[in-house]
Amino acid sequence: MPPALVRTLGSRDLTLLVVGNVIGSGIFLVPASVLLQSGGSLPIALGVWLAGGVLSLMGALSYAELGGMDPGAGGLYAYIRDAFGAFPAFLYGWTLFFVIGAGTIATLAVAAAEYLTQFTPLSAVAKQGVAIALIASTAVINVRGLRGSAAVQNVTTGIKVLAIVALSLLLLGLSLGGDAATVANAPPPAPAVTLSGVGLSVIAVLWAYEGWQYVTFVAGEARDPQRTIPRALIVGTVLLIGIYLLANVAYAAALGTADMANSSRVAGDAVTRVLGPTAGKIVALVIIVSMYSAAHGTVITVPRVYQAMAADGVFFRQLAAVHPRYGTPAVAVLSSCAWAAVLAVSGTFEQLLTYVVFIGWIFYALGAAAVIRLRQTQPGAVRPFRVPGYPFTPVLFVLAAAAIVGNTIVAQPRQSVVGLGMVLLGAPAYAVWRRRTTAAP
């Protein structure tokens, strides 16, 4: 009997995986643009962050029902397959492998190497070497066992969460009533708040929350997945909302809303304002850890989709293999990381992600819509968790995802067409794999 994936992830592991996958660099950069698009009003900006968090929670609640129904590997890929068929599910996995997953890993590794230059000078070649070393380290750790890779993820996620919370509380404590600019005395910047500006800021916030759904990919290795997957999705998303709101209030307390809205490095500027210029390196170190943690979480999760696709006979057959000693989809992990390293060295990941990353939201919408579809086609299925507020909860998330996709198409029509074309390149590949699967004895 061939080796199989082992259920080793508990509720804490899964919750930290949700948080670790989401927090990358967004919370260190995005708050400034959100505040600017909110007309410099901190209450409106905080409302936007809360709204984005609630919409993400609606998606998490929808996926929690699906995770309870289908505790196997593959997560979102499997939900789309079961609700809407093998072809759209394959296109999601295809895009995830060649662009979104590998591109995300490459982006985080390259960015972490760039931030390292704040501590020591690095040539262009050296930065590429650092990025490849970071990717290689995640590959080795993940091949050698899920339990060990989860431990690394738990530690790095814990470090960045504690650092963000501690820095936020420190900024609040030293800023309010002190010499630093405060929320109360800071004049609002231009432009004035507009409905379109708030809409754009909601989209930016939803990007900052993106990544919580990756935990569904490892459902096949979760202990008691009908209980732990829903709990991790809900608890992790609620924690993210709290962390993001706290950080925004702290930035505003340190900088004032005017300076915060016009900052290109809001976290670094806030810490520098309160603690001095040398303290900015603290933020750089936190960002490096944060990016590594997000990259590591991506390497933990996305190869499980490729392994599930290969097991279905619609991807490279070797990727279905489970390592006989370590119990991991080793070939899928190594293939994903190797392709990420190629993208990192070539520098093409930025262009690829620009074209297709918005398409991920089409599939996220299909995931939430799968709740409705499977309620209709499988009414008698066991559902240990049922999404509250059905059908409004999944419908609102689908509409939010549609807004992101629609805004991208309107704002960048040429890039959108190219991106859709790149995704549809998977169609002939799918036809080949299906033909082989059908022809197999």
Side-chain angles (χ1 to χ4, degrees):
M1 183 176 180
L5 300 175
V6 179
R7 296 192 179 276
T8 185
L9 298 177
S11 182
R12 183 182 64 176
D13 302 316
L14 297 168
T15 301
L16 290 173
L17 193 55
V18 171
V19 175
N21 261 319
V22 171
I23 300 178
S25 61
I27 191 56
F28 303 104
L29 304 171
V30 173
S33 62
V34 172
L35 182 60
L36 184 63
Q37 291 165 339
S38 300
S41 170
L42 183 63
I44 293 176
L46 292 177
V48 168
W49 281 95
L50 180 59
V54 170
L55 286 170
S56 298
L57 183 59
M58 289 179 176
L61 290 168
S62 302
Y63 284 30
E65 176 172 319
L66 297 169
M69 284 182 63
D70 184 354
L76 178 55
Y77 160 79
Y79 310 155
I80 296 173
R81 179 197 63 203
D82 295 344
F84 301 108
F87 180 58
F90 170 83
L91 289 182
Y92 172 62
W94 167 273
T95 309
L96 189 69
F97 181 89
F98 285 105
V99 183
I100 298 178
T104 297
I105 296 167
T107 299
L108 291 166
V110 170
E114 185 64 39
Y115 269 95
L116 193 62
T117 60
Q118 296 194 32
F119 298 92
T120 182
L122 291 174
S123 66
V125 173
K127 284 187 284 189
Q128 288 183 340
V130 170
I132 292 174
L134 291 175
I135 294 171
S137 71
T138 63
V140 171
I141 293 170
N142 276 278
V143 165
R144 290 181 61 82
L146 182 58
R147 185 64 263 159
S149 60
V152 172
Q153 182 68 12
N154 293 348
V155 170
T156 55
T157 299
I159 289 172
K160 69 180 174 183
V161 168
L162 289 175
I164 293 171
V165 172
L167 284 174
S168 298
L169 294 176
L170 187 62
L171 292 176
L172 283 170
L174 296 178
S175 299
L176 295 178
D179 296 330
T182 64
V183 177
N185 63 22
V193 61
T194 64
L195 185 60
S196 62
V198 172
L200 289 173
S201 65
V202 170
I203 291 173
V205 164
L206 285 173
W207 285 114
Y209 278 106
E210 199 270 336
W212 48 263
Q213 64 276 10
Y214 282 18
V215 75
T216 66
F217 301 160
V218 295
E221 292 154 285
R223 297 196 301 268
D224 192 9
Q226 289 89 348
R227 180 179 62 86
T228 55
I229 292 292
R231 176 182 293 181
L233 282 165
I234 296 167
V235 174
T237 306
V238 170
L239 284 174
L240 287 164
I241 294 172
I243 292 167
Y244 282 1
L245 291 176
L246 175 63
N248 274 271
V249 172
Y251 297 155
L255 295 172
T257 52
D259 288 346
M260 176 180 169
N262 292 287
S263 172
S264 60
R265 297 172 54 255
V266 63
D269 290 344
V271 171
T272 299
R273 173 75 62 86
V274 175
L275 300 177
T278 58
K281 291 187 176 181
I282 297 174
V283 175
L285 183 60
V286 173
I287 291 176
I288 290 172
V289 173
S290 180
M291 289 179 171
Y292 180 83
S293 174
H296 188 82
T298 304
V299 176
I300 290 176
T301 52
V302 295
R304 273 67 186 175
V305 174
Y306 317 144
Q307 193 265 346
M309 292 171 65
D312 286 346
V314 292
F315 212 40
F316 301 106
R317 183 176 56 191
Q318 294 83 356
L319 272 61
V322 175
H323 196 283
R325 177 180 176 185
Y326 301 125
T328 59
V331 179
V333 170
L334 292 174
S335 300
S336 178
C337 289
W339 180 235
V342 170
L343 295 181
V345 172
S346 66
T348 55
F349 60 89
E350 291 183 353
Q351 295 92 329
L352 290 174
L353 285 175
T354 299
Y355 286 129
V356 307
V357 73
F358 81 97
I359 293 173
W361 284 86
I362 298 175
F363 298 109
Y364 304 156
L366 286 177
V371 175
I372 301 172
R373 174 68 174 170
L374 293 175
R375 288 272 188 114
Q376 297 171 343
T377 59
Q378 300 181 23
V382 176
R383 292 175 169 84
F385 178 88
R386 286 178 174 264
V387 56
Y390 177 87
F392 301 104
T393 300
V395 166
L396 285 173
F397 180 77
V398 169
L399 291 175
I404 291 178
V405 175
N407 178 78
T408 304
I409 292 174
V410 170
Q412 300 176 322
R414 188 183 69 83
Q415 291 92 327
S416 300
V417 170
V418 173
L420 287 168
M422 291 170 62
V423 174
L424 291 176
L425 285 175
Y430 173 78
V432 171
W433 270 305
R434 290 296 292 178
R435 190 179 304 113
R436 289 178 179 176
T437 302
T438 304

